[in-house]
Amino acid sequence: MNVVSVQNLTRRYGDVLAVNDLSFTVAAGECVAMLGPNGAGKSTTIEILEGYRHRDGGSVEVLGVDPARATRAWRSRVGIVPQGASDMTDATVRDAISLFAALYPHPRAVDETIDLVGLTAQRDTRLGRLSGGQRRRVDVALGIVGRPELLFLDEPTTGFDPEARHVFWDVIAQLRADGTTIMLTTHYLDEADQLADRVIVVAGGRKVADTTPADLGSRHGNSVRVSWREGETRRDELTTEPTRVVRDLLTRFDGEIPGLEISRMTLEEAYLKLVEEAS
Amino acid sequence: MIRATWARTVYELRIFSRDRRSVFFTIVLPIMLLVIFGSIFGQTKLGHGVRFSQYFVAGMLASAILYSSFQQLAIMIPEERSNGTLKRIKGSPLPPAAYFAGKFFATVLVYVVQAAGLFIIGASAYHVQLPHGMGWINFVWISLLGLLASALLGIAFSSLARDGRAASALASPVLLFLQFSSGVYMVFTTLPHWMQHVGALFPLKWLAQSMRGVFLPAVFAQNEVGHSFGYGETALVLTAWVLVGGLWCWRRFAWVPLDQA
């Protein structure tokens, strides 16, 4: 069953097509990451799905409802972690989460939610006095306190230190184990790799890939990067025949090839290549 | 809906009490003005044994209505729009009406504290006579209708500013001009005619005039425009502003930051 279903979605700002004929689906229980450079149309798409923005064309269904006609009942089934909120600075963590917990029919217990995002020690601290990463975890707590069936996360870990990101990833893993469907946007390839069953890559408002992280990584014909040193400069070559490249190098160097490294193309490299080709 | 409104009201009051700037401008400022004007003109007699402080406290209450509702909402809502509060609420199951009702009830309670402060300081330090009998009933309906009209105007005004700082810069001169052109600081009938006409378009002039009806003896009605405190006109003008402000808010209210809309 599809929780999200998008067909031929379009949205323009003036003359610019921010979202251009985008179609995709998200199945129940899936975790899908939307990747793309700044201005690719990720946030516009997510905000149309969340019911914040209108669309110019195409059809959208989220939990069986057109988000442009969102009802309160629908809102209580959808969790949203928006980008760049700095609200409720004078409220404590507990105040803020209790205030929103009371709006849902079957909320998670407030202390349990605070514990889940790792803010138990800060529960009586005002939001204005939290660090950036702690503040972001409050946003996540507010997104999940209503036990949503579908959770939207818009760049959830921007500004996190590596440890905080791993804590966050554990939270998401737990939500997934409970059956929550998750749709996130991110700039971090390792995050998509870690969390998502599927990645949708968008560039210039168009979908350029819709596949598993593993497949995206191996998309360029299982490309391998062979790199070596020539004098002071580092050279590299992307190839599907690494053995041939090494054989050629052996004929050019006497004995050891200086600084030889052979590595499989990373997800990040595959992604950058894909986005570069699309634009 | 009732539970959600109650929760929002409690939350708004808690947050208000933690924000020193808001507490100062809405509660301390009118009392400070009463003390300043009371100290300078408090002994001046207006005839019939009435002191200027009696005239002035009516104007300060009318101003307090604007401070606690119009000013507070015209500044807080753009702030809450730019920092994502409104966007978060829009994405939650909270009924929008509960957000506005919570703001309004918090406003009423803040006004009650302001009015109590003005009554206590006025009566104990500047010989202000409190209303009695029908005076209280008039005081209550004028206050509630005035708060509602000014709150809706504040919400409508909030659409003009990108954030709290811009809103503050926009709202303060408007408020100051209204106070002068509505006869809060000076006797209304001594103002230039054009200013009287402008003032008469807005709620504050009518609030100040009908509040004078609450605080001054009936003979003072002779000094007003039309020789009456104009309760009927006040009710009409305020109701008209409730309708205009309400319509604007219903049609034009923006939940997402203006630069994202």
Side-chain angles (χ1 to χ4, degrees):
Chain A
M1 193 198 74
N2 284 332
V3 169
V4 175
S5 157
V6 174
Q7 265 164 35
N8 312 106
L9 179 66
T10 350
R11 171 69 207 256
R12 64 180 86 238
Y13 299 115
D15 292 337
V16 183
L17 262 177
V19 180
N20 186 357
D21 200 26
L22 194 63
S23 301
F24 63 89
T25 58
V26 179
E30 226 183 347
C31 178
V32 172
M34 191 172 253
L35 292 170
N38 285 329
K42 301 188 297 289
S43 288
T44 297
T45 304
I46 289 276
E47 292 202 346
I48 289 171
L49 300 184
E50 291 166 343
Y52 283 128
R53 290 176 196 254
H54 72 86
R55 59 180 186 271
D56 293 318
S59 67
V60 175
E61 248 187 33
V62 176
L63 292 169
V65 171
D66 179 348
R69 281 187 271 281
T71 61
R72 287 186 60 199
W74 181 82
R75 290 252 170 245
S76 69
R77 298 165 65 198
V78 175
I80 296 175
V81 178
Q83 226 184 102
S86 57
D87 54 331
M88 299 192 279
T89 47
D90 288 325
T92 66
V93 172
R94 230 176 171 286
D95 287 340
I97 295 169
S98 311
L99 183 70
F100 279 86
L103 302 175
Y104 294 89
H106 311 290
R108 205 179 289 275
V110 172
D111 286 330
E112 180 198 323
T113 310
I114 293 173
D115 188 47
L116 189 63
V117 297
L119 287 176
T120 301
Q122 287 81 22
R123 75 178 157 210
D124 295 318
T125 307
R126 293 188 193 179
L127 303 199
R129 299 196 183 131
L130 296 176
S131 74
Q134 289 170 338
R135 163 74 238 211
R136 203 78 187 103
R137 280 190 259 166
V138 175
D139 290 334
V140 174
L142 290 167
I144 64 174
V145 71
R147 292 185 198 278
E149 290 165 52
L150 169 65
L151 178 63
F152 289 108
L153 299 151
D154 205 353
E155 296 186 13
T157 61
T158 302
F160 276 29
D161 61 36
E163 196 191 333
R165 287 176 74 204
H166 279 93
V167 170
F168 171 80
W169 290 353
D170 291 343
V171 173
I172 299 302
Q174 210 164 328
L175 292 172
R176 292 202 53 196
D178 296 343
T180 311
T181 307
I182 296 171
M183 181 154 192
L184 74 146
T185 68
T186 181
H187 280 301
Y188 302 113
L189 275 294
D190 55 339
E191 186 159 287
D193 196 18
Q194 182 76 31
L195 298 177
D197 301 308
R198 199 147 56 81
V199 287
I200 295 172
V201 182
V202 288
R206 283 182 165 281
K207 185 167 86 173
V208 295
D210 183 345
T211 182
T212 63
D215 179 56
L216 185 65
S218 61
R219 169 149 302 200
H220 286 270
N222 291 313
S223 294
V224 169
R225 184 179 300 280
V226 179
S227 111
W228 67 97
R229 216 170 47 233
E230 245 175 74
E232 290 303 304
T233 52
R234 185 136 206 111
R235 300 271 314 270
D236 61 14
E237 191 172 329
L238 215 52
T239 176
T240 50
E241 301 167 305
T243 312
R244 179 192 57 75
V245 176
V246 172
R247 201 179 293 125
D248 289 350
L249 286 172
L250 280 170
T251 62
R252 286 169 49 196
F253 293 98
D254 229 6
E256 277 297 305
I257 302 167
L260 177 67
E261 275 174 26
I262 301 173
S263 55
R264 193 151 290 279
M265 195 166 171
T266 63
L267 179 62
E268 183 144 331
E269 288 169 316
Y271 161 76
L272 289 173
K273 200 153 194 290
L274 195 64
V275 169
E276 190 188 326
E277 282 168 7
S279 56
Chain B
M1 172 72 194
I2 293 167
R3 223 183 53 171
T5 302
W6 171 245
R8 289 299 307 182
T9 307
V10 171
Y11 172 80
E12 295 283 359
L13 285 171
R14 186 178 299 167
I15 297 307
F16 174 82
S17 68
R18 286 178 188 169
D19 181 2
R20 288 196 203 112
R21 195 182 56 170
S22 293
V23 171
F24 178 81
F25 277 108
T26 50
I27 294 185
V28 181
L29 194 65
I31 291 173
M32 213 170 76
L33 287 172
L34 175 69
V35 170
I36 292 170
F37 279 81
S39 308
I40 301 171
F41 303 113
Q43 298 307 317
T44 312
K45 297 280 183 9
L46 297 177
H48 303 281
V50 173
R51 293 166 202 263
F52 184 73
S53 54
Q54 191 74 21
Y55 181 94
F56 187 67
V57 82
M60 281 324 299
L61 279 165
S63 287
I65 289 174
L66 256 75
Y67 279 122
S68 55
S69 59
F70 175 83
Q71 174 175 266
Q72 181 69 9
L73 297 185
I75 295 174
M76 278 307 288
I77 292 178
E79 180 71 34
E80 293 191 342
R81 186 182 289 119
S82 69
N83 72 21
T85 304
L86 297 184
K87 192 173 179 181
R88 193 188 299 286
I89 287 172
K90 171 89 169 149
S92 82
L94 183 78
Y99 168 77
F100 293 117
K103 282 244 181 281
F104 181 68
F105 290 132
T107 291
V108 172
L109 288 169
V110 167
Y111 171 74
V112 167
V113 174
Q114 277 179 315
L118 288 170
F119 285 160
I120 291 166
I121 309 269
S124 59
Y126 306 107
H127 309 282
V128 170
Q129 309 269 314
L130 298 188
H132 40 79
M134 264 308 281
W136 281 115
I137 292 171
N138 286 331
F139 172 74
V140 170
W141 78 254
I142 294 164
S143 297
L144 284 178
L145 192 58
L147 284 165
L148 185 61
S150 312
L152 287 166
L153 283 180
I155 297 169
F157 197 83
S158 77
S159 308
L160 302 179
R162 182 177 287 268
D163 55 31
R165 202 180 297 185
S168 180
L170 273 176
S172 299
V174 169
L175 211 57
L176 207 58
F177 174 77
L178 283 181
Q179 283 178 307
F180 277 101
S181 64
S182 302
V184 169
Y185 297 123
M186 277 154 240
V187 177
F188 185 72
T189 46
T190 65
L191 297 175
H193 282 288
W194 70 266
M195 207 182 262
Q196 290 189 24
H197 291 311
V198 176
L201 295 174
F202 296 98
L204 185 56
K205 182 256 178 186
W206 299 98
L207 287 172
Q209 185 176 330
S210 54
M211 280 290 179
R212 284 196 290 277
V214 171
F215 282 87
L216 297 177
V219 294
F220 275 78
Q222 294 307 314
N223 303 332
E224 300 289 345
V225 178
H227 306 296
S228 147
F229 290 120
Y231 289 136
E233 291 94 322
T234 301
L236 272 177
V237 171
L238 292 179
T239 306
W241 277 112
V242 167
L243 295 176
V244 170
L247 191 70
W248 174 281
C249 298
W250 178 47
R251 304 294 301 176
R252 300 294 304 270
F253 192 78
W255 294 88
V256 295
L258 297 182
D259 51 4
Q260 287 178 23

